[in-house]
Amino acid sequence: MSDKSIKKVCVIGAGTMGAGIAAQVANAGIPVLLLDIVPKDGDNRNAVAEGAVKKMLKTQPAPFMSKRAAKLVETGNIEDDLGKVAECDWIVEAIIERLDIKQDLYAKLEEVRTAGTAVSSNTSTIPLAQLTDGRSDAFKNDFLITHFFNPPRYMKLIEIVAGPQSDAATVAMVSDFVDRKLGKNVVNAEDSPGFIANRVGTFWIQQSVNAAFDLGVTVEEADEIGGRPMGVPNTGIFGLIDLIGIDLMPHLMKSLTSTLPADDPYVKIARSEKLIEDMIESGYTGRKGKGGFYRINREGGGKVKEAKDLKSGEYRAAARPGLVRGSAAKGDLGKLIEMKGKVGDYAWAVLGPTLSYAASIVPEATKTVVGVDDAMKLGYNWKMGPFEMIDKIGPAKLREKLASSDLPVPAILEQVGDKTFYRVENGKRQYFGTDGEYHDVERPEGVLLLEDIKLSSEPLAKNGSAALWDVGDGVVALEFTGKMNALDEQVMRMIGKAIELVKSDYKALVIYNEGSNFSAGANLGLAIFAMNIAAWSEVEKTVKGGQDAYKALKYAPFPVVSAPFGLALGGGCEILLHSDAIQAHAETYTGLVETGVGIIPGWGGCNEMLSRWMANPRHPKGPMPAVSKVFEIVSTATVAKSAADAKELGFLRHKDEITMNRDRLLYDAKQRALAMVDGYTAPEKPEYRLPGPTGKAALKLAVDSFRKQGMATPHDETVAAELAYVLTGGNTDITEIVTEDQMLKLEREAFMRLARNPKSQARVEHMLETGKPLRN
Amino acid sequence: MQVYEAPIRDMRFNLEELHNDDGFGDLEGFEDFDEDMRAAILEEANKLCRDVLLPLNWPGDQQGCRIENGVVRTPDGFQEAYKQFCEGGWAGLVVDQKWGGQGAPHSLAKMVEEMSCSTNLSFGLYPGLTGGAMVSLEAYGSDELKNFYMPKMANGEWAGTMCLTESHCGTDLGMLRTKAEPQDDGSYLVSGNKIFISAGDHDLAENIIHLVLARLPDAPAGVKGISLFLVPKYLPNEDGSLGNHNNAGPTAIEHKMGLKASATCQMTFDGSKGWIVGEPNRGLEAMFAMMNTERVAVGMQGLGVGEIAYQSAVYYAKDRLQGRSLSGVKNPDGPADPIIVHPDVRRMLMTMRAYNEGCRSVATWVSRAIDAEHAAKEPEARERAKDFVALMTPVVKALFTDLGHESAHHAVQVYGGHGYIQESGVEQFARDARIAQIYEGANGIQALDLVGRKLPDRMGRNLRAFFHPVSQFIEDNAQDEHIGKLVASLQQSFGALQLSTGHIAQKGMKDPEEAAAAAYEYLHLLGFVAMAYVFAKSAKIAHQKLAEGTDEEQFYKAKLTTVQFFFDRLLPPATAKFMAIKSGKASMMDMPEDAF
């Protein structure tokens, strides 16, 4: 790590990328100056930058993690405020992709900036050497390219290009900052056209489109073959183009063809289709336009998914061809490209040239195969990188097939011979280098991944839904392993096992996993099945079992730290609430969403939220304010839009911490747990004084008014009444003390009454069938 | 002796007392069929079945069908009986009034079906097949086809068939080969051979309307390439009069174990003109509309045979004098006591009786649901009824036919040697009942349908329509002073069923073979719990009636004794099927094929 550090950032250019980068800096709690040009008209000279911030507050998915973050953005214009860059430790240029304008700006910056601070460009096409042409050596020392992906908050990739004169310490400082503070994963790229991800990605998209037209494959067929089976986004290629905008295609093509040499394979395949040009012309630019290769036709009140016929250019009802079956549908790429007929032909027409091309850019675009793979996985959401795909097919087999199809066989593919690009040696993952040797895949300091731990060790315990891992230094990690990380009886059993184990042989427990979400809650499928067969005692046992397990966690004689990321809903939120501390990834979406399926939190969620809000020093004292607040949050199934937002909502305490980079989450959580080990004492059992029926009546008034405004349905009212009953302590009054056990009993009873209600059953069923809540 | 009197009192108990509060609410459209009307219909049906059909049952079995010059001849007397059957309006009993039917509820019609199945199973098949064909035609046929054919089928003038099976494909219809070539006028020419076609040809109706599964020239392989066609035996003229023979006829009839008066035909269609029913390549859907109705109807065949077997056995047990009662002489004037005094004979008679009454109550519940699917006022009730019918259809089909067959064998046993020889007429029941376990989807297939389709469907949604009312009943009546003990037993069996259901759902998800290995026992367990539930409800009603005072004390007391017998003797072994279900597939599937 560098001894310099970044305390203030300036972003110049308030377009989508610039504004998004500024927002992410603010999300990290760092002040940021956002500058753009002075508009030609109007009095407000800062209108462009201000407008960008305003627009971002309305954009979905939101660039800001909290309203508080937005306040860290200071806006200005490059005529009046350029002097302020002197206070900034890093200047990011994200203006229009025109060399002359960029060079002009740099010339001005050189006069006002503080030497020794970093300057970077977010260019995606212009070579670094050209950008700094004419600048001083000092400027060149401080300059690098930081290529973010859109949208900057959500895309994990950043490509960093250092020039021959870039100061290593400066590059290290920026790399460390974007990694730890902005949560991006750095891939070092060389100063070559399109860098890594866009170069391979643009080729892949072009080749996929070309092949569909050439082979007469329909849009749906192409997406079915080229989507899930290849481990690229499930949208498939045409669905992806609809998403990013069809009008972007000519721009991508133009920028790459103008910078790549004429004999580059991409330049040879680059072409445009009349059909696509016509679509752009007439406003059919994808999801943002009138429609794209797909559209939803709502004529006549219906909702019909339609697809574009590539031959006639007309829309027709989208088909589900169901072409790919068996192992080829599940990632067996070797099988996929060998399939007879359309499937194999199209798969090979995409994969053959794309993999050949991807393999040909090492070391020109990045020094290692890992760089290419990381760039594609992080920047294009591929499940496997190109070299991982090649390993899957077998490098020798691919080589043979490329040769027989008259496609180029890149040097590194020759060099690897009969070996593979990756291997596991002594529990370490290694990659094949251009020097012909294997090297360890190194993780940055402070990155700890279960994925790596699994290569070198066996779980301490394991069942169908959870596992325990020794993550070093006396810390055990509890991993959820079920489908969608759903929580069930087996998870509860594993919690019991974890407590036993840590008590006797370890120091602390971390609850963590590397699935796509932390946990979307209890296994609803199991629950509805149990409800359908009227197994009420089983349902109640599950509720009680969860309460007992979570309570045992809470009062265990060692620190428990939860490390959520992505969705942490329902039971997945309640486990956080029972932890001593939470180390949350910034992108954590947590909430008690049970009312959406017609029930209330039953694993201690009501109780814990109440105790959090009662202990909140910034909230008014007395029982009713806390009860009202929790009622408001839980009855509306509020989900926090980020970890920062979760603090506002009380799911996280203010002492809980946020990790920006997903890969650092386990390490940070582990450190946090270890810091609590010395002198740890389990929390005291809370006692409540609650308002009872009078409080319930007050909450009912609020629900009545929602009902009258049409914002609450009849069953919402029923569910809210049960929630109010629990939160106000049942039939108590303010003079009595309500214990935690009594609260849990109230929760259980209310839960069971709702579980038996056919309207709640209908909600659960609807959620499982459609993924959306039923408003009955 | 084949003895029969329709069990009208028990039927009315089911219709009027037990199932007037089954949770589906009021049904619309059956206003004409009030309690008096229902009673009258049952009485009339009894007369027809007892006086016309029963006397033809044994002679029909002896004489059988024959094929003469390419035409099937039914046994003597069948033509006259069929005429009476149609004149009485029985052919269109459940058919919508707009087609000239009676529009009666299924809950009533199923009882009439039970009677005809008791008294002459072979005869019942002829109108039964017409009824099945009408279900598919009404649901999927074009208006033109329906307007032309439905009225003549509803009054029995024309009969119907369903032509599915071919020599190489029975259960697996995806392999069928019969072809249909489209013609310029929108019709099709159907060619191919079918086997096992019930009522494929006969001399009861002037024309026979075949519904034939066949493939279009461009159809995809497998079950998604099958279409359904209406192919008449004689091509009718526009005025409904008969035109030319359509090259659709029998080439042979099968020689069978039983059901001999029902013609089971090999059929040949040779460029026979037909019209499509429903969408191209969606024929199986149209066929299943009929199949589900037919499956419940086949279940009624099991019950029907069970009932006449019981009555015939009771007649003999009271008549046959052999040995003396162990508790002292009961017939001092005779040389011996009637065999009905013996506990083992009682065991058989009570078993048959309990099966019959239990199945009848379940059948009434299911057929009320069939009515409620369309006629319940509340959409939720219609939905629930639909789920319930889906769940119970395989249970009714397989369980009723298994029990009916068992009852027929009990009857033979009660008759002893006299049952084994033909003259007594009871061995015919055993032979006739056997086919019901096989056709319309063998009982093993029904069990697979239950655990493979009906159980996992929508995370067990179909189960709710059964499990919730039973669970609620147990909760409400656990403390009942009269039936509390029965409810405790019911709860135990219900618990075994819940555990079995969970077990199958869990195991079957990982390994479908595990679910399949448990399927048969599971179907029986579910069926017995259903019977236990309707019996416990019946007992509650009987206690109420007896407490209120009634002049039918004997009926209600007998009901209570039957219920008690079921709970004492029949429910426990059924509950123990849980052990078999839990044991898993290993002891079946581990045996190497070579070791067989």
Side-chain angles (χ1 to χ4, degrees):
Chain A
M1 210 167 85
S2 152
D3 55 356
K4 294 190 268 185
S5 69
I6 294 173
K7 295 186 193 66
K8 186 167 182 186
V9 174
C10 172
V11 178
I12 304 176
T16 313
M17 289 305 294
I21 295 166
Q24 183 67 356
V25 173
N27 287 335
I30 313 275
V32 55
L33 177 65
L34 178 63
L35 305 179
D36 207 310
I37 54 166
V38 176
K40 288 196 191 92
D41 319 305
D43 307 332
N44 184 355
R45 293 171 63 81
N46 296 339
V48 178
E50 278 175 21
V53 172
K54 259 188 215 144
K55 191 176 154 203
M56 283 200 293
L57 287 168
K58 290 181 205 141
T59 303
Q60 284 305 330
F64 286 114
M65 291 180 183
S66 64
K67 289 213 175 85
R68 190 176 297 193
K71 293 190 184 122
L72 286 171
V73 182
E74 178 190 347
T75 49
N77 68 73
I78 49 170
E79 286 172 30
D80 306 334
D81 303 308
L82 206 60
K84 292 182 185 168
V85 303
E87 313 154 14
C88 298
D89 307 299
W90 176 28
I91 302 163
V92 187
E93 169 272 305
I95 63 170
I96 187 168
E97 287 284 85
R98 264 180 56 189
L99 182 61
D100 53 340
I101 300 181
K102 284 186 197 277
Q103 284 178 334
D104 274 358
L105 176 66
Y106 298 162
K108 284 184 196 145
L109 279 175
E110 180 137 33
E111 289 165 24
V112 291
R113 77 181 192 101
T114 306
T117 56
V119 182
S120 72
S121 171
N122 185 53
T123 183
S124 51
T125 50
I126 307 174
L128 184 141
Q130 290 179 23
L131 290 173
T132 54
D133 190 29
R135 298 273 66 74
S136 69
D137 280 346
F139 190 93
K140 286 176 183 170
N141 279 344
D142 292 343
F143 189 84
L144 66 156
I145 288 173
T146 50
H147 183 218
F148 286 84
F149 283 71
N150 189 28
R153 173 178 165 188
Y154 298 97
M155 293 303 291
K156 282 172 70 180
L157 178 62
I158 186 166
E159 292 171 331
I160 290 193
V161 183
Q165 278 176 266
S166 302
D167 174 45
T170 305
V171 174
M173 175 182 75
V174 172
S175 298
D176 193 66
F177 182 80
V178 296
D179 172 340
R180 287 173 196 269
K181 299 292 182 183
L182 305 190
K184 301 300 133 195
N185 285 24
V186 175
V187 172
N188 291 309
E190 301 302 308
D191 190 12
S192 73
F195 311 125
I196 312 164
N198 282 346
R199 182 146 171 217
V200 176
T202 307
F203 184 98
W204 163 62
I205 291 171
Q206 183 75 57
Q207 183 60 23
S208 301
V209 171
N210 287 0
F213 277 93
D214 294 347
L215 297 175
V217 167
T218 67
V219 163
E220 303 96 304
E221 287 168 344
D223 286 355
E224 193 180 285
I225 303 163
R228 195 186 294 259
M230 290 190 195
V232 304
N234 292 342
T235 51
I237 199 74
F238 289 104
L240 180 67
I241 298 172
D242 276 357
L243 196 65
I244 58 182
I246 300 176
D247 51 336
L248 204 69
M249 289 181 61
H251 292 292
L252 284 170
M253 185 160 77
K254 200 177 137 213
S255 77
L256 263 187
T257 46
S258 64
T259 48
L260 283 167
D263 63 346
D264 187 274
Y266 175 72
V267 179
K268 290 189 205 154
I269 65 160
R271 71 182 205 218
S272 75
E273 301 289 342
K274 171 110 190 4
L275 177 95
I276 296 176
E277 286 166 9
D278 290 348
M279 284 173 77
I280 297 170
E281 187 98 335
S282 51
Y284 286 89
T285 52
R287 290 200 199 174
K288 64 177 179 185
K290 291 192 248 173
F293 292 105
Y294 296 96
R295 71 168 181 188
I296 303 293
N297 189 343
R298 290 175 203 277
E299 272 168 37
K303 211 177 156 189
V304 181
K305 188 177 179 183
E306 294 184 329
K308 195 113 210 166
D309 188 299
L310 296 181
K311 286 193 186 115
S312 68
E314 301 297 321
Y315 282 108
R316 50 167 174 71
R320 289 183 172 209
L323 293 169
V324 196
R325 300 233 172 93
S327 64
K330 292 176 187 139
D332 187 341
L333 296 174
K335 195 73 145 289
L336 186 69
I337 56 173
E338 292 295 338
M339 276 179 78
K340 292 268 175 287
K342 221 182 260 187
V343 175
D345 290 351
Y346 184 73
W348 175 246
V350 172
L351 277 181
T354 301
L355 295 179
S356 163
Y357 189 63
S360 73
I361 65 164
V362 178
E364 179 213 341
T366 183
K367 290 202 174 78
T368 70
V369 300
V370 183
V372 177
D373 283 355
D374 283 351
M376 294 317 293
K377 287 191 283 186
L378 297 164
Y380 276 77
N381 288 329
W382 286 16
K383 287 209 177 61
M384 284 183 286
F387 288 96
E388 290 167 332
M389 290 189 184
I390 295 174
D391 276 358
K392 195 108 192 169
I393 295 169
K397 182 175 165 187
L398 179 70
R399 213 158 43 223
E400 211 174 278
K401 208 165 155 67
L402 286 175
S404 67
S405 309
D406 282 330
L407 287 165
V409 178
I412 198 164
L413 193 57
E414 295 282 10
Q415 200 183 1
V416 78
D418 293 331
K419 299 191 286 263
T420 51
F421 286 104
Y422 292 94
R423 69 173 188 188
V424 175
E425 194 77 0
N426 300 323
K428 275 281 219 181
R429 192 159 189 252
Q430 296 186 322
Y431 69 92
F432 182 78
T434 47
D435 56 359
E437 304 287 327
Y438 282 96
H439 305 269
D440 287 351
V441 176
E442 297 291 352
R443 303 293 187 192
E445 187 226 323
V447 169
L448 179 63
L449 293 172
L450 217 42
E451 175 192 330
D452 292 345
I453 292 169
K454 287 177 181 180
L455 293 177
S456 59
S457 64
E458 292 296 316
L460 301 169
K462 180 176 186 300
N463 64 24
S465 303
L468 298 177
W469 297 90
D470 183 339
V471 295
D473 302 315
V475 179
V476 172
L478 166 66
E479 180 195 24
F480 308 141
T481 60
K483 203 175 167 196
M484 316 261 295
N485 286 342
L487 304 173
D488 59 15
E489 195 206 341
Q490 297 201 63
V491 172
M492 300 308 161
R493 259 209 302 268
M494 194 53 75
I495 288 175
K497 179 94 195 155
I499 292 171
E500 220 173 274
L501 196 70
V502 176
K503 230 185 331 192
S504 63
D505 301 330
Y506 291 85
K507 293 181 193 163
L509 179 69
V510 168
I511 301 169
Y512 169 82
N513 67 74
E514 285 168 10
S516 28
N517 290 296
F518 179 73
S519 172
N523 186 332
L524 277 186
L526 278 185
I528 190 68
F529 197 88
M531 291 183 205
N532 279 335
I533 63 170
W536 306 120
S537 60
E538 286 301 310
V539 176
E540 190 159 5
K541 227 187 274 172
T542 308
V543 177
K544 181 79 167 55
Q547 288 186 342
D548 290 348
Y550 282 9
K551 219 164 67 169
L553 261 188
K554 181 179 172 187
Y555 296 114
F558 52 80
V560 175
V561 175
S562 282
F565 59 92
L567 297 177
L569 303 177
C573 175
E574 288 173 297
I575 201 167
L576 309 183
L577 299 176
H578 286 79
S579 308
D580 293 302
I582 300 170
Q583 182 76 36
H585 181 227
E587 301 296 350
T588 295
Y589 318 111
T590 192
L592 296 171
V593 295
E594 286 84 351
T595 56
V597 288
I599 51 176
I600 60 160
W603 285 341
C606 298
N607 174 45
E608 290 300 323
M609 273 301 265
L610 202 53
S611 101
R612 269 166 154 71
W613 276 96
M614 283 187 164
N616 187 341
R618 298 177 208 183
H619 203 63
K621 291 271 170 264
M624 211 46 204
V627 167
S628 302
K629 190 73 194 170
V630 176
F631 180 77
E632 176 196 321
I633 292 169
V634 179
S635 67
T636 54
T638 310
V639 175
K641 294 178 184 73
S642 64
D645 191 29
K647 278 195 177 182
E648 301 296 317
L649 291 167
F651 295 115
L652 268 63
R653 299 178 177 106
H654 277 273
K655 64 173 191 183
D656 289 328
E657 288 176 15
I658 295 172
T659 296
M660 293 297 283
N661 191 316
R662 173 69 187 79
D663 290 357
R664 296 178 177 277
L665 187 58
L666 176 57
Y667 181 88
D668 291 351
K670 181 180 149 185
Q671 294 314 114
R672 181 111 170 86
L674 284 171
M676 293 164 70
V677 169
D678 278 341
Y680 177 81
T681 49
E684 304 245 326
K685 283 203 173 193
E687 285 181 342
Y688 306 90
R689 282 183 190 279
L690 295 166
T694 50
K696 189 184 168 190
L699 296 177
K700 189 173 182 304
L701 281 179
V703 178
D704 282 349
S705 93
F706 278 133
R707 177 80 198 278
K708 286 196 188 100
Q709 295 166 54
M711 289 157 72
T713 66
H715 195 54
D716 284 344
E717 247 180 327
T718 309
V719 178
E722 291 288 2
L723 179 67
Y725 180 73
V726 174
L727 291 175
T728 53
N731 287 319
T732 183
D733 67 54
I734 204 77
T735 63
E736 285 178 39
I737 284 177
V738 183
T739 65
E740 187 175 67
D741 287 343
Q742 285 170 321
M743 285 299 287
L744 291 175
K745 185 158 176 278
L746 287 174
E747 216 181 75
R748 236 167 27 234
E749 289 166 355
F751 184 100
M752 288 310 298
R753 280 191 295 272
L754 289 169
R756 282 167 168 260
N757 188 314
K759 287 189 167 173
S760 295
Q761 291 155 12
R763 282 192 178 189
V764 174
E765 206 169 59
H766 193 266
M767 177 62 77
L768 282 165
E769 276 171 13
T770 67
K772 294 186 187 98
L774 173 69
R775 307 283 294 145
N776 62 346
Chain B
M1 260 298 261
Q2 298 188 346
V3 175
Y4 187 75
E5 183 69 39
I8 288 177
R9 182 62 191 93
D10 195 50
M11 289 174 165
R12 297 194 58 213
F13 172 79
N14 278 288
L15 276 179
E16 318 301 348
E17 294 169 71
L18 179 58
H19 286 295
N20 56 13
D21 67 338
D22 55 11
F24 297 123
D26 288 342
L27 304 185
E28 289 176 317
F30 300 125
E31 291 75 13
D32 294 349
F33 295 88
D34 61 8
E35 193 172 341
D36 290 343
M37 184 62 169
R38 292 195 285 263
I41 287 174
L42 292 177
E43 289 296 348
E44 284 308 307
N46 181 32
K47 279 184 207 155
L48 177 80
C49 292
R50 182 191 63 200
D51 302 340
V52 178
L53 300 186
L54 183 61
L56 297 176
N57 192 36
W58 195 65
D61 179 63
Q62 295 298 304
Q63 189 184 6
C65 292
R66 58 201 187 281
I67 184 164
E68 285 171 1
N69 303 324
V71 180
V72 171
R73 302 281 171 215
T74 53
D76 298 343
F78 270 49
Q79 281 185 327
E80 179 52 32
Y82 185 76
K83 209 172 141 222
Q84 267 181 270
F85 186 89
C86 295
E87 280 169 3
W90 301 104
L93 186 57
V94 293
V95 178
D96 199 313
Q97 292 177 353
K98 74 176 165 191
W99 307 119
Q102 312 295 320
H106 282 91
S107 46
L108 179 65
K110 283 282 169 279
M111 303 202 164
V112 176
E113 244 174 271
E114 186 200 315
M115 294 183 205
S116 71
C117 293
S118 283
T119 48
N120 200 324
L121 193 56
S122 286
F123 178 89
L125 242 56
Y126 296 102
L129 264 296
T130 311
M134 279 191 284
V135 171
S136 289
L137 185 58
E138 188 179 18
Y140 289 91
S142 66
D143 286 343
E144 213 181 332
L145 284 182
K146 284 194 280 196
N147 289 333
F148 192 80
Y149 288 95
M150 286 294 289
K152 282 187 180 291
M153 293 171 82
N155 66 21
E157 204 175 319
W158 292 354
T161 73
M162 304 295 303
C163 303
L164 287 69
T165 307
E166 296 175 11
S167 57
H168 58 284
C169 71
T171 302
D172 190 356
L173 285 170
M175 302 194 297
L176 74 80
R177 290 182 194 140
T178 299
K179 286 184 307 195
E181 292 281 346
Q183 302 301 300
D184 292 341
D185 64 354
S187 69
Y188 295 81
L189 294 184
V190 177
S191 301
N193 296 307
K194 296 277 175 182
I195 63 162
F196 295 173
I197 307 306
S198 295
D201 195 60
H202 52 79
D203 53 6
L204 303 181
E206 62 174 33
N207 199 5
I208 300 176
I209 312 306
H210 304 288
L211 292 191
V212 186
L213 285 183
R215 282 184 190 288
L216 291 168
D218 56 350
V223 291
K224 287 182 177 163
I226 301 175
S227 309
L228 186 67
F229 299 90
L230 180 152
V231 182
K233 175 179 174 181
Y234 292 103
L235 283 170
N237 300 315
E238 272 179 31
D239 62 0
S241 63
L242 296 186
N244 292 334
H245 196 280
N246 193 19
N247 292 332
T251 46
I253 56 174
E254 306 292 349
H255 302 280
K256 312 189 293 277
M257 175 179 177
L259 214 65
K260 289 174 189 278
S262 159
T264 304
C265 303
Q266 293 177 25
M267 303 288 293
T268 296
F269 298 90
D270 184 7
S272 312
K273 199 177 176 75
W275 293 269
I276 196 159
V277 177
E279 302 279 311
N281 300 331
R282 307 278 290 269
L284 224 52
E285 246 169 77
M287 185 58 74
F288 266 98
M290 171 286 303
M291 196 87 93
N292 285 325
T293 327
E294 288 300 286
R295 284 179 173 173
V296 176
V298 173
M300 298 312 292
Q301 297 178 0
L303 169 56
V305 175
E307 178 62 33
I308 194 170
Y310 166 71
Q311 293 193 25
S312 302
V314 168
Y315 166 82
Y316 189 72
K318 286 180 175 172
D319 187 56
R320 174 75 167 168
L321 306 180
Q322 287 288 291
R324 290 293 183 188
S325 162
L326 295 172
S327 61
V329 174
K330 297 290 183 299
N331 181 24
D333 300 338
D337 288 341
I339 60 172
I340 198 164
V341 302
H342 300 302
D344 193 57
V345 172
R346 294 285 181 125
R347 174 184 62 81
M348 292 186 276
L349 295 178
M350 287 306 292
T351 299
M352 298 157 84
R353 181 182 178 116
Y355 284 167
N356 293 336
E357 290 186 18
C359 289
R360 188 171 297 120
S361 295
V362 172
T364 316
W365 188 13
V366 175
S367 50
R368 272 275 296 177
I370 293 175
D371 291 329
E373 271 186 70
H374 305 290
K377 280 191 186 137
E378 299 298 321
E380 288 87 7
R382 288 201 290 271
E383 202 55 37
R384 203 163 62 242
K386 203 171 155 205
D387 292 346
F388 183 66
V389 174
L391 177 73
M392 295 304 284
T393 296
V395 179
V396 167
K397 196 283 176 179
L399 183 75
F400 287 19
T401 58
D402 282 355
L403 300 186
H405 179 251
E406 188 187 326
S407 287
H409 279 278
H410 284 312
V412 172
Q413 194 72 18
V414 170
Y415 275 73
H418 291 280
Y420 195 64
I421 60 171
Q422 291 198 352
E423 280 81 347
S424 69
V426 289
E427 57 85 42
Q428 184 193 350
F429 302 145
R431 286 186 289 106
D432 282 359
R434 192 64 187 81
I435 186 61
Q437 295 170 292
I438 298 168
Y439 61 18
E440 293 296 344
N443 286 1
I445 297 291
Q446 302 300 323
L448 282 184
D449 178 44
L450 179 64
V451 302
R453 285 207 197 98
K454 305 299 171 56
L455 189 150
D457 180 30
R458 293 166 299 159
M459 278 87 54
R461 166 67 182 271
N462 292 323
L463 300 167
R464 197 188 297 171
F466 174 73
F467 283 71
H468 281 204
V470 177
S471 162
Q472 193 63 50
F473 178 82
I474 291 170
E475 278 179 36
D476 293 347
N477 294 284
Q479 307 303 326
D480 188 281
E481 57 170 323
H482 297 299
I483 64 163
K485 273 191 176 168
L486 295 180
V487 171
S489 300
L490 171 62
Q491 185 168 18
Q492 204 179 18
S493 304
F494 183 61
L497 178 66
Q498 286 175 312
L499 287 174
S500 301
T501 309
H503 176 86
I504 290 174
Q506 212 172 15
K507 283 258 174 137
M509 208 135 57
K510 292 190 193 101
D511 179 1
E513 223 169 48
E514 282 287 357
Y520 210 91
E521 279 84 3
Y522 180 75
L523 183 146
H524 270 248
L525 176 57
L526 198 156
F528 272 77
V529 171
M531 287 199 281
Y533 166 63
V534 290
F535 269 144
K537 272 178 93 172
S538 301
K540 186 173 178 171
I541 294 165
H543 280 294
Q544 272 165 8
K545 294 282 158 120
L546 290 168
E548 288 164 8
T550 166
D551 50 9
E552 294 184 301
E553 226 171 74
Q554 194 191 8
F555 172 78
Y556 291 112
K557 283 187 170 165
K559 181 62 89 179
L560 287 176
T561 308
T562 306
V563 171
Q564 195 60 48
F565 177 83
F566 178 86
F567 273 86
D568 288 349
R569 295 284 180 141
L570 302 178
L571 187 58
T575 306
K577 289 189 189 297
F578 171 58
M579 304 303 288
I581 291 166
K582 218 176 59 174
S583 74
K585 68 173 185 178
S587 55
M588 287 191 274
M589 304 311 286
D590 283 359
M591 184 72 79
E593 249 179 75
D594 293 348
F596 281 100

